[in-house]
Amino acid sequence: MQKKVRIIDIAKMAGVSKGTVDRVLHNRGNVSETARIAIEHVLDEVNYKPNIHVSAISLKRSYKIIVTTPEVSLGAYWESIHNGIRHALEEYENVKIELQIFTYNQYDIYSCRQTFEKIAGFEMDALIIGPTFPEETINLCKKMDDRDIPYIFVDSTIDSTAPLAFYSADHYVCGFMMAKLITSIIPDHANIAIFQAVRTGDKSANTTVLRKKGFTDYLENNRCSNLILTIPFSVTEPEDNEMYLSRLFQSQREVPAIVVLNSRGNFIADYLETNHIKGVRMICMDLTAANVEALKKGQIDYLIGQEPEYQGFSSMKTLLEYLIFKSPVKKQNYVQLDIITRENVVFYKRFNNTVY
Amino acid sequence: MQKKVRIIDIAKMAGVSKGTVDRVLHNRGNVSETARIAIEHVLDEVNYKPNIHVSAISLKRSYKIIVTTPEVSLGAYWESIHNGIRHALEEYENVKIELQIFTYNQYDIYSCRQTFEKIAGFEMDALIIGPTFPEETINLCKKMDDRDIPYIFVDSTIDSTAPLAFYSADHYVCGFMMAKLITSIIPDHANIAIFQAVRTGDKSANTTVLRKKGFTDYLENNRCSNLILTIPFSVTEPEDNEMYLSRLFQSQREVPAIVVLNSRGNFIADYLETNHIKGVRMICMDLTAANVEALKKGQIDYLIGQEPEYQGFSSMKTLLEYLIFKSPVKKQNYVQLDIITRENVVFYKRFNNTVY
DNA sequence: AATAATTATGTGTTCGTGCACAAATATACA
DNA sequence: TGTATATTTGTGCACGAACACATAATTATT
């Protein structure tokens, strides 16, 4: 147990004053080559870790951080991510942070484009992005790269970008696992209906594509002969869904299994309930309030959780520690894929009853 | 956003000095009735929250904490709990904590009794208990109650005690869920072998009894007609297990499903592998290193995780915040029951790759 | 009433970092 | 060489809680 090394200790060892050490530690410039090398030499020797508590007190400057994600609705997926972000800020209540949030319609590529173009012009120290459309996201990221502004992804990551880090589920594995779970509770060869969201201006989002690929790959690898029916599902024009659903269930085919690749599983569950359709097994994404209710009622058999609070929390925390303490950052962060049933759902914590 | 209230602000409002406020906040005594009431009045008005960073720096006194749990072996369940405890201490590195750890043999009631009697006589500020045998634990807790020493349970809680808090899985639900999961992947009416640990001086531990009850209740509730074979399993005399296992598999009965109610599932998996017994589905407890390996190899189908790192971490963190800041404590803390398969196991984080 | 003992209250120091500002040194240019 | 400017370095203060210690006020004792 070696004694704590302080800035003043390093200064003495390097034969300079604490101010110079501080300038080196924080890359503030105005340090002679000689002094810098001497200090860096000492820093290599000793394992200096700033006392985070003292740092927290002494911090004077403020940071401006922008967050952009799909729109937040009550009890839904993106609300959990935003809760996580807010929770991280509470941990750093003494740090002066100016937070600006811009949301876009995740079912409309034009809304996303417009929002991202607006954001690109703003002053900021860092950016958190919840991406949906690859092309638009890449454009925004390029501008950030040019301006040397760090950004972190939540929910999913986008190729051809250079984020400081990302927090995301492995959506391919997610789809793979959904296939394994649903096939374990339905008869062999049973038909499976897959619901996918319809979007304006773009066929489909990042995450859904990957999940679908994982799903079909599982069936292929395991030589499952289930017939897969892909059904469109519109969030923006919900009146269309009645039609899709009634067409599905009025056909001759039995549909004993439903898979929803996004967090809107409760919509389908509601339809089944109002139309008294029984005996359908369902697997869906995310512990939204409505999904949890449907799970508890037995309408949904499995929910897959992807730690949205943790994603939001970690992305903000990572960003702040990077900005303030220049802490090293782990780039790839794949979050847990929690398998939730009506039995274990009550133990899954949110920030209202626990603290990460 | 109201401005932060400091001790000195409270002092001014109450017309006293900061020293007196400090004495009231920390119950240090030597305060006149008049002053105490004035200060308490102000404290009711304003929402004073000490700046935890400054508190952390200024702390001078030290705390002695004793931890007693079953013995820790490498890569096993209790090691994770201890890792969690250590991790909490790292967060409070500036607090002077004297930690003493006493482990006992969880398969031998006499070892537990001896350890607990020794501990009962020691000086300490608080105690963390990983209980196994109810009777012995109650005795220890009574002595702690008399001495006004707070204690927290990890892994399970014991009736007729008054802990400050407990962090535990709901073991009944755990058994219930294991029954649901295993029956979903085996044919109806298939036989199920349940393995239970043998203990010296006591029929069985706290947790196993509850899990067994949950398991059988699920089968009963759902009118499952599976034949249940309860098999003893000795950790202390492993040479007996060969005998139990060979007797099981050489009988006429098919055994397509195995349930292990503790974390030693890998032992059974190994036996199956060396004896080339195939087609057995298995569900077991805990992400021990050996179990995870067996899961990845496909020998185990489901593992149930119970957040051991989080349990250890939270119990120590709760204790410290209670001791140092007199923070209010949530007593009942049921942890997640994670359903783990070979697909999602890689995403479950330990402290080596993430920070809660 | 005078002194001792007890209790109550106020003051000052400590912790280590972040940063502002002053001081010192080096470089540029006439 | 002297002055102006730029660069480098050192010093000092603030942050706010915890506690040690000194001083003031009250109560007990002779």
Side-chain angles (χ1 to χ4, degrees):
Chain A
M1 205 72 189
Q2 74 273 17
K3 240 185 102 205
K4 283 275 148 56
V5 184
R6 297 159 304 167
I7 286 185
I8 189 124
D9 299 322
I10 296 169
K12 273 178 195 153
M13 284 189 254
V16 294
S17 76
K18 71 195 180 85
T20 309
V21 176
D22 176 73
R23 277 180 283 270
V24 170
L25 285 172
H26 293 83
N27 277 332
R28 292 195 220 277
N30 287 337
V31 176
S32 70
E33 195 76 355
T34 332
R36 216 201 61 231
I37 287 167
I39 291 164
E40 276 169 356
H41 206 264
V42 175
L43 287 173
D44 285 341
E45 298 286 302
V46 303
N47 178 253
Y48 173 68
K49 276 173 61 183
N51 185 323
I52 52 162
H53 299 293
V54 181
S55 291
I57 302 167
S58 313
L59 240 319
K60 260 148 200 127
R61 69 161 286 190
S62 69
Y63 296 91
K64 181 171 174 191
I65 296 172
I66 293 182
V67 174
T68 183
T69 69
E71 278 152 21
V72 174
S73 56
L74 213 71
Y77 177 68
W78 283 99
E79 191 192 38
S80 302
I81 291 200
H82 282 253
N83 283 345
I85 290 175
R86 255 197 307 280
H87 189 79
L89 291 180
E90 281 166 27
E91 260 200 15
Y92 291 84
E93 50 180 342
N94 21 30
V95 181
K96 284 181 269 301
I97 294 157
E98 193 191 330
L99 191 68
Q100 261 189 301
I101 299 175
F102 297 96
T103 60
Y104 60 89
N105 183 345
Q106 63 166 314
Y107 303 106
D108 181 357
I109 200 171
Y110 306 107
S111 151
C112 173
R113 194 172 296 166
Q114 203 189 334
T115 308
F116 281 10
E117 276 170 5
K118 188 171 66 181
I119 288 171
F122 288 170
E123 274 299 305
M124 66 188 111
D125 294 298
L127 177 63
I128 293 178
I129 309 171
T132 303
F133 304 99
E135 198 77 33
E136 275 58 36
T137 312
I138 290 171
N139 284 341
L140 176 58
C141 292
K142 270 191 194 138
K143 292 173 192 161
M144 294 299 109
D145 291 337
D146 290 344
R147 293 173 57 192
D148 256 330
I149 293 171
Y151 49 93
I152 290 187
F153 288 128
V154 277
D155 176 62
S156 62
T157 183
I158 301 281
D159 288 338
S160 316
T161 61
L164 182 66
F166 68 79
Y167 287 85
S168 162
D170 186 325
H171 300 291
Y172 176 84
V173 171
C174 178
F176 195 90
M177 214 166 69
M178 290 176 99
K180 180 178 177 177
L181 288 169
I182 193 74
T183 52
S184 80
I185 55 170
I186 57 172
D188 294 350
H189 318 298
N191 300 327
I192 302 173
I194 297 191
F195 284 83
Q196 252 178 296
V198 184
R199 284 162 213 268
T200 309
D202 195 296
K203 269 203 282 297
S204 107
N206 200 25
T207 56
T208 317
V209 174
L210 291 166
R211 285 186 202 130
K212 182 78 178 289
K213 183 82 171 63
F215 194 93
T216 51
D217 277 5
Y218 175 86
L219 298 182
E220 222 169 84
N221 293 357
N222 293 271
R223 297 176 211 289
C224 300
S225 55
N226 309 67
L227 178 67
I228 305 301
L229 311 160
T230 304
I231 318 288
F233 178 73
S234 176
V235 176
T236 42
E237 274 120 31
E239 55 278 9
D240 295 356
N241 298 327
E242 280 293 303
M243 192 259 289
Y244 296 135
L245 280 159
S246 63
R247 196 188 292 166
L248 173 69
F249 282 104
Q250 277 159 22
S251 73
Q252 297 305 73
R253 281 194 285 265
E254 286 246 340
V255 185
I258 287 179
V259 175
V260 184
L261 292 179
N262 57 48
S263 66
R264 307 307 177 109
N266 62 296
F267 279 79
I268 319 288
D270 283 352
Y271 176 87
L272 297 182
E273 195 178 35
T274 33
N275 291 277
H276 309 290
I277 301 169
K278 300 240 158 105
V280 179
R281 313 306 292 270
M282 275 188 75
I283 184 166
C284 314
M285 288 302 302
D286 299 321
L287 285 84
T288 64
N291 278 349
V292 168
E293 204 188 323
L295 182 78
K296 282 182 177 171
K297 279 200 269 177
Q299 300 171 329
I300 293 174
D301 293 280
Y302 283 113
L303 280 177
I304 305 296
Q306 44 181 335
E307 301 194 296
E309 291 89 359
Y310 173 79
Q311 285 187 41
F313 177 80
S314 300
S315 55
M316 182 54 92
K317 182 166 178 158
T318 303
L319 206 50
L320 290 178
E321 303 217 321
Y322 172 76
L323 290 175
I324 300 172
F325 305 125
K326 309 264 179 296
S327 305
V329 173
K330 183 167 169 245
K331 192 175 166 186
Q332 300 197 338
N333 300 277
Y334 287 104
V335 300
Q336 289 177 24
L337 285 168
D338 294 320
I339 301 172
I340 315 288
T341 69
R342 61 193 301 186
E343 286 79 24
N344 70 347
V345 68
V346 293
F347 306 123
Y348 276 78
K349 299 172 279 287
R350 303 280 184 94
F351 284 109
N352 46 334
N353 57 11
T354 194
V355 172
Y356 268 23
Chain B
M1 205 73 189
Q2 73 274 14
K3 243 186 96 208
K4 282 276 148 57
V5 184
R6 298 160 302 166
I7 284 185
I8 191 124
D9 299 322
I10 296 168
K12 271 177 194 154
M13 285 188 254
V16 294
S17 75
K18 67 197 178 88
T20 308
V21 176
D22 175 72
R23 277 181 282 270
V24 170
L25 285 172
H26 292 84
N27 278 331
R28 292 195 220 277
N30 288 336
V31 176
S32 69
E33 196 76 354
T34 332
R36 214 201 62 231
I37 288 166
I39 291 166
E40 276 170 354
H41 206 265
V42 176
L43 287 174
D44 285 342
E45 298 288 302
V46 303
N47 177 254
Y48 173 68
K49 273 173 62 185
N51 184 322
I52 51 162
H53 299 294
V54 182
S55 291
I57 302 169
S58 314
L59 241 319
K60 262 148 197 128
R61 71 159 285 192
S62 68
Y63 296 92
K64 181 173 174 187
I65 296 172
I66 292 180
V67 173
T68 182
T69 69
E71 277 153 21
V72 175
S73 55
L74 213 71
Y77 177 68
W78 284 99
E79 191 193 37
S80 301
I81 291 201
H82 282 255
N83 282 345
I85 291 175
R86 253 197 308 279
H87 190 79
L89 291 180
E90 280 165 27
E91 261 201 14
Y92 290 84
E93 50 179 343
N94 22 27
V95 180
K96 283 180 269 300
I97 293 157
E98 193 190 331
L99 190 69
Q100 263 188 299
I101 298 174
F102 296 96
T103 60
Y104 59 89
N105 182 345
Q106 65 166 311
Y107 303 105
D108 181 356
I109 199 171
Y110 306 107
S111 151
C112 174
R113 193 172 296 166
Q114 205 190 333
T115 308
F116 281 12
E117 277 171 4
K118 188 172 66 181
I119 289 171
F122 289 168
E123 275 298 308
M124 68 188 109
D125 293 297
L127 177 63
I128 292 178
I129 308 172
T132 303
F133 304 99
E135 197 78 34
E136 275 58 38
T137 311
I138 290 170
N139 285 341
L140 175 60
C141 291
K142 271 191 191 138
K143 292 173 193 160
M144 294 300 109
D145 290 339
D146 291 344
R147 292 173 59 190
D148 258 328
I149 294 171
Y151 51 93
I152 290 187
F153 288 126
V154 276
D155 176 60
S156 62
T157 181
I158 301 281
D159 288 338
S160 316
T161 61
L164 181 67
F166 67 79
Y167 287 85
S168 162
D170 186 324
H171 299 290
Y172 176 85
V173 172
C174 178
F176 195 90
M177 215 167 69
M178 290 176 100
K180 181 178 176 176
L181 288 170
I182 194 76
T183 54
S184 80
I185 55 170
I186 57 171
D188 295 350
H189 319 298
N191 299 327
I192 302 172
I194 296 190
F195 285 83
Q196 251 178 298
V198 184
R199 282 161 214 270
T200 309
D202 194 295
K203 268 204 279 302
S204 110
N206 201 24
T207 56
T208 318
V209 174
L210 291 166
R211 285 187 203 133
K212 182 78 177 287
K213 183 81 170 61
F215 195 93
T216 51
D217 277 6
Y218 176 86
L219 297 183
E220 223 169 82
N221 293 358
N222 293 273
R223 297 178 212 289
C224 300
S225 56
N226 310 66
L227 178 66
I228 306 300
L229 310 159
T230 304
I231 318 288
F233 178 74
S234 176
V235 176
T236 41
E237 273 120 31
E239 55 278 9
D240 296 355
N241 298 328
E242 283 292 304
M243 193 257 292
Y244 297 133
L245 281 159
S246 62
R247 198 188 290 166
L248 173 70
F249 283 102
Q250 277 158 22
S251 74
Q252 297 307 71
R253 282 193 286 265
E254 284 247 342
V255 186
I258 286 179
V259 175
V260 184
L261 292 178
N262 57 49
S263 66
R264 307 307 176 110
N266 61 298
F267 279 78
I268 319 289
D270 283 352
Y271 176 86
L272 297 182
E273 195 179 36
T274 32
N275 292 275
H276 309 290
I277 301 169
K278 299 239 158 105
V280 180
R281 313 308 292 269
M282 275 188 76
I283 185 167
C284 313
M285 291 299 305
D286 300 321
L287 286 83
T288 63
N291 278 350
V292 168
E293 203 188 325
L295 182 79
K296 283 182 177 170
K297 278 200 269 181
Q299 301 171 328
I300 293 174
D301 293 281
Y302 283 114
L303 281 177
I304 306 295
Q306 44 181 332
E307 301 193 297
E309 290 89 0
Y310 172 79
Q311 286 189 41
F313 178 80
S314 301
S315 55
M316 180 55 91
K317 182 167 177 156
T318 303
L319 207 50
L320 291 178
E321 302 218 322
Y322 172 75
L323 291 174
I324 299 172
F325 306 123
K326 310 263 181 296
S327 305
V329 173
K330 181 164 171 250
K331 193 177 165 185
Q332 299 196 339
N333 301 277
Y334 287 104
V335 299
Q336 288 178 22
L337 285 168
D338 295 320
I339 300 172
I340 315 288
T341 69
R342 61 192 302 186
E343 286 80 23
N344 70 347
V345 67
V346 292
F347 307 122
Y348 277 78
K349 299 171 278 288
R350 303 281 184 92
F351 284 107
N352 45 333
N353 56 10
T354 193
V355 172
Y356 267 23

